[in-house]
Amino acid sequence: MKAIHLLLALCFYFNSSTLLLSQDYIFGLKVGLITNTIGDINSRGGSIAASKADEVFSPKKDIGYQIGGYFIAEFKSFFIKPELNYVSLENHYDFPNRASKWTATKFEIPILFGLEIAKHVSIYAGPSFNFFSDIQLEGVQVTSYSDGGPDIEKNTTSLNFGILARYNRFSVDLRYEIGTKSTQEELLDINHSAFGVNLADLRSYTPKTLSLSFSVDIFRTDGTSVADLFKSNDKCGCPYK
């Protein structure tokens, strides 16, 4: 944990110390959709149908969302982009009796380093520091076999890779994120009468997400303002002329 705090401090120090050298800097807001990859659940027996003993249930991906803000320091074709995002993740398992919903929420701080490879198009990569506030799987019980769960680490790190398309004050961002380490396999005790599964193993997995977000620059140092979104002069910040 101390290492994460130190790395965050170094990243923000680097950004602030190089700010005066940048051509432009930008503050903006973003919103997007996100899918999450989690692990299979292996029933140890006790399903409603005897033929389904030791059945493996794979998670189904649902659409979550993210909202946040960002800062960009630009150095010609290179940029540094720290963000602060709130993320809500959703999945579900189709158990024999009914579906069990997986939910997770977190705050994340990506520190991204990007390069413009063509007009309006950039690629980027960088670490993300994740702080989970809530992870739940519907139907998991606290018993002598299980302390509830899932027992996923609350503070994690991950790596981001993505492509960014920008036009004036607007941008579209497609991003892939992968955790830096896998989770531990965990025994869960699930409410049998409600879901049709009893003792089950949540298999080890490496967290992954895929997100699509839309952003707008609220403040920029290139002489334009938010009001320029509605103008048609040379400083137009709108996607039309």
Side-chain angles (χ1 to χ4, degrees), residues 98 100-101 137-142 189-192 194-195 197:
R98 67 185 179 98
S100 174
K101 189 174 182 179
L137 177 62
E138 189 179 11
V140 176
Q141 308 172 108
V142 177
D189 191 349
I190 301 171
N191 188 321
H192 180 270
F195 295 92
V197 173

Side-chain angles (χ1 to χ4, degrees), residues 9-225:
L10 289 174
C11 288
F12 282 114
Y13 173 78
F14 175 77
N15 287 343
S16 61
S17 65
T18 55
L19 179 60
L20 296 177
L21 300 177
S22 66
Q23 289 187 326
D24 290 298
Y25 59 94
I26 301 166
F27 292 94
L29 299 176
K30 60 179 290 186
V31 62
L33 303 176
I34 188 167
T35 62
N36 186 40
T37 298
I38 57 177
D40 292 340
I41 286 182
N42 179 37
S43 170
R44 292 191 176 186
S47 292
I48 292 298
S51 61
K52 290 190 175 182
D54 297 317
E55 183 177 2
V56 174
F57 298 92
S58 295
K60 310 298 182 183
K61 293 182 180 180
D62 298 318
I63 302 297
Y65 68 89
Q66 58 177 326
I67 55 175
Y70 57 88
F71 165 77
I72 301 176
E74 293 184 327
F75 311 86
K76 296 185 178 179
S77 60
F78 175 73
F79 66 85
I80 302 172
K81 185 185 182 187
E83 300 179 352
L84 175 61
N85 303 316
Y86 173 80
V87 181
S88 176
L89 303 170
E90 294 186 9
N91 300 76
H92 73 274
Y93 295 91
D94 287 327
F95 289 147
N97 279 6
R98 67 185 179 98
S100 174
K101 189 174 182 179
W102 171 293
T103 57
T105 58
K106 67 173 180 175
F107 285 95
E108 64 175 15
I109 304 176
I111 309 293
L112 308 173
F113 302 87
L115 180 68
E116 187 177 47
I117 58 172
K119 188 175 181 180
H120 304 310
V121 178
S122 301
I123 57 174
Y124 63 83
S128 180
F129 306 95
N130 309 297
F131 306 92
F132 285 90
S133 58
D134 191 24
I135 304 173
Q136 294 184 353
L137 177 62
E138 189 179 11
V140 176
Q141 308 172 108
V142 177
T143 69
S144 58
Y145 296 100
S146 172
D147 61 355
D151 292 330
I152 309 300
E153 289 187 34
K154 297 296 184 179
N155 302 325
T156 66
T157 58
S158 55
L159 297 175
N160 293 268
F161 308 90
I163 184 167
L164 178 69
R166 299 173 65 186
Y167 185 80
N168 286 330
R169 306 181 79 90
F170 298 92
S171 61
V172 179
D173 183 340
L174 180 63
R175 182 177 307 179
Y176 178 73
E177 179 181 353
I178 183 169
T180 56
K181 67 177 183 178
S182 298
T183 65
Q184 298 292 320
E185 185 167 304
E186 179 183 0
L187 175 63
L188 303 176
D189 191 349
I190 301 171
N191 188 321
H192 180 270
S193 60
F195 295 92
V197 173
N198 195 4
L199 294 181
D201 295 304
L202 174 59
R203 291 180 171 174
S204 175
Y205 68 94
T206 301
K208 305 180 186 71
T209 64
L210 181 66
S211 63
L212 178 67
S213 63
F214 304 88
S215 307
V216 59
D217 299 340
I218 301 300
F219 177 80
R220 295 170 28 161
T221 58
D222 62 357
T224 64
S225 68

